[in-house]
């Protein structure tokens, strides 16, 4: 029997490995998103912190709801305002069983909201913490791929994780894949001018990718200018499947398995 498009939609496993539904943009309909997890429309979310305050919020959210998992970390934009004992506080938060990663951490030289040297110090400190806690990392990189690679390379063989919202070159992709890192692919894959990212998806094996949204940011082309949300990961998965020449159902299953294996999710 030929599979209809509606059946195909029902068989997609929608896994968003980078969401921010704890942000204020979801204050009016957060429960609707959570209901999508309860009814099986969404399989699971990795809810991401960007500073100590939001890290506490994501842990609280994940602790209250099944199939929401937490990542705790200091985003590079926030690294200049971090208290001296932040790694101790993160270590305490990491004791919650719903915490599956350290992130969102990394380097951002595009906006440079924190001095580069402080960004690098805080990034490296959190990589040390990740190694100590044996947790993968969720890494934000913008206009800083060389420095991010050199710092992560210091931990070669000791750390794994994902380069979130990957926007580098195919050469950058190879360097991080060779270090054992996944590449996070979200809405920008669908942007008409983003040919290089589509070529990267074609070039590397599907085992190297994770599906994500970064909601409320980076919506797929269909929703440009509007708030992104976890269910829109469907459009990313469908385009990845097209680029790889496999069914969307099979693609979604592989992408979810990649995340389950990386974050050691108990689902």
């Amino acid at each position: 029997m030929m599979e209809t498009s509606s059946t195909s939609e029902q068989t997609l496993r929608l896994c968003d490995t980078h969401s921010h539904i704890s942000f204020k943009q979801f204050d009016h309909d957060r429960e609707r998103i959570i209901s999508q997890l309860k009814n099986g429309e969404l399989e699971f979310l990795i809810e991401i912190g960007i500073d100590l305050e939001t890290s506490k919020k994501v842990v609280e959210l994940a602790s209250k709801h099944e199939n929401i998992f937490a990542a705790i970390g200091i985003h590079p934009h926030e690294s200049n305002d971090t208290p001296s004992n932040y790694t101790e506080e993160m270590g305490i938060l990491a004791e919650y069983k719903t915490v599956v990663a350290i992130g969102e951490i990394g380097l951002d030289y595009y906006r440079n909201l924190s001095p580069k040297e402080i960004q690098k110090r805080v990034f490296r400190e959190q990589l040390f913490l990740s190694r100590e806690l044996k947790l993968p990392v969720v890494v934000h990189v913008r206009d800083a791929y060389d420095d991010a690679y050199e710092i992560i390379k210091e931990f070669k063989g000791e750390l794994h994780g994902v380069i979130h919202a990957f926007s580098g070159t195919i050469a950058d992709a190879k360097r991080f894949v060779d270090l054992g890192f996944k590449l996070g692919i979200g809405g920008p894959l669908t942007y008409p001018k983003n040919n290089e990212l589509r070529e990267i998806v074609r070039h590397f094996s599907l085992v190297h990718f994770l599906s994500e949204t970064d909601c409320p940011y980076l919506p797929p082309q269909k929703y440009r200018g509007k708030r992104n949300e976890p269910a829109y990961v469907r459009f990313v998965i469908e385009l990845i499947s097209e680029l790889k020449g496999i069914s969307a159902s099979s693609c979604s299953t592989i992408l979810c398995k990649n995340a389950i294996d990386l974050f050691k999710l108990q689902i």
Side-chain angles (χ1 to χ4, degrees):
M1 179 178 177
M2 183 175 292
E3 187 179 64
T4 65
S5 59
S6 60
T7 303
S8 175
E9 286 182 5
Q10 291 171 3
T11 58
L12 289 192
R13 298 176 63 185
L14 302 185
C15 307
D16 185 358
T17 63
H18 198 110
S19 66
H20 298 288
I21 68 168
S22 58
F23 282 13
K24 64 182 180 180
Q25 289 91 333
F26 291 94
D27 282 352
H28 69 286
D29 67 346
R30 187 173 298 110
E31 289 304 314
R32 178 181 63 83
I33 306 294
I34 292 169
S35 72
Q36 293 174 334
L37 288 159
K38 292 177 179 178
N39 67 25
E41 184 178 346
L42 296 170
E43 187 149 336
F44 62 82
L45 306 178
I46 309 292
E47 180 69 5
I48 310 290
I50 60 169
D51 55 22
L52 287 177
E53 180 182 357
T54 56
S55 291
K56 291 172 183 175
K57 286 182 179 179
V58 303
V59 171
E60 180 181 5
L61 187 68
S63 298
K64 289 180 178 178
H65 302 285
E66 289 188 7
N67 298 331
I68 299 180
F69 302 90
I72 57 173
I74 308 298
H75 190 286
H77 291 339
E78 314 299 329
S79 56
N80 198 37
D81 299 318
T82 302
S84 59
N85 67 336
Y86 79 95
T87 55
E88 296 173 25
E89 293 199 44
M90 286 177 61
I92 293 170
L93 284 176
E95 294 176 5
Y96 285 84
K97 64 180 181 180
T98 53
V99 174
V100 298
I102 300 298
E104 173 176 3
I105 66 177
L107 303 175
D108 191 316
Y109 295 169
Y110 177 75
R111 296 184 67 187
N112 254 348
L113 298 186
S114 293
K116 289 182 181 180
E117 289 308 311
I118 292 178
Q119 288 190 46
K120 289 191 283 188
R121 174 179 60 78
V122 172
F123 182 32
R124 189 178 278 108
E125 287 171 350
Q126 291 180 96
L127 293 176
F128 277 115
L129 179 64
S130 173
R131 184 177 68 180
E132 177 186 338
L133 297 175
K134 296 182 172 57
L135 289 173
V137 290
V138 177
V139 181
H140 171 108
V141 186
R142 192 169 185 191
D143 286 4
Y145 277 91
D146 287 342
D147 280 0
Y149 172 75
E150 291 300 326
I151 291 173
I152 291 173
K153 191 172 69 170
E154 297 171 14
F155 300 83
K156 185 176 182 180
E158 300 177 311
L159 283 181
H160 294 91
V162 55
I163 307 301
H164 151 63
F166 185 80
S167 61
T169 65
I170 196 165
D172 292 324
K174 184 178 188 306
R175 291 198 296 177
F176 286 106
V177 164
D178 287 348
L179 287 178
F181 273 66
K182 307 291 188 189
L183 308 178
I185 307 296
L189 182 71
T190 68
Y191 299 170
K193 294 182 179 180
N194 209 342
N195 293 317
E196 185 163 29
L197 185 57
R198 287 187 285 275
E199 183 56 33
I200 287 168
V201 169
R202 289 189 190 97
H203 181 81
F204 291 94
S205 169
L206 196 55
V207 74
H208 298 302
F209 299 113
L210 297 183
S211 57
E212 62 176 36
T213 64
D214 199 20
C215 66
Y217 313 114
L218 299 180
Q221 181 64 27
K222 183 176 180 178
Y223 294 97
R224 287 290 286 273
K226 300 180 180 180
R227 186 196 70 174
N228 201 2
E229 61 180 72
Y232 295 169
V233 75
R234 170 185 303 278
F235 300 102
V236 177
I237 293 169
E238 288 175 344
L239 182 50
I240 292 175
S241 72
E242 181 183 326
L243 294 169
K244 303 305 286 184
I246 63 174
S247 72
S249 177
S250 296
C251 182
S252 68
T253 295
I254 294 168
L255 290 168
C256 281
K257 184 180 186 301
N258 292 348
I260 291 168
D261 290 348
L262 174 62
F263 297 111
K264 297 181 174 61
L265 304 183
Q266 301 298 315
I267 295 182

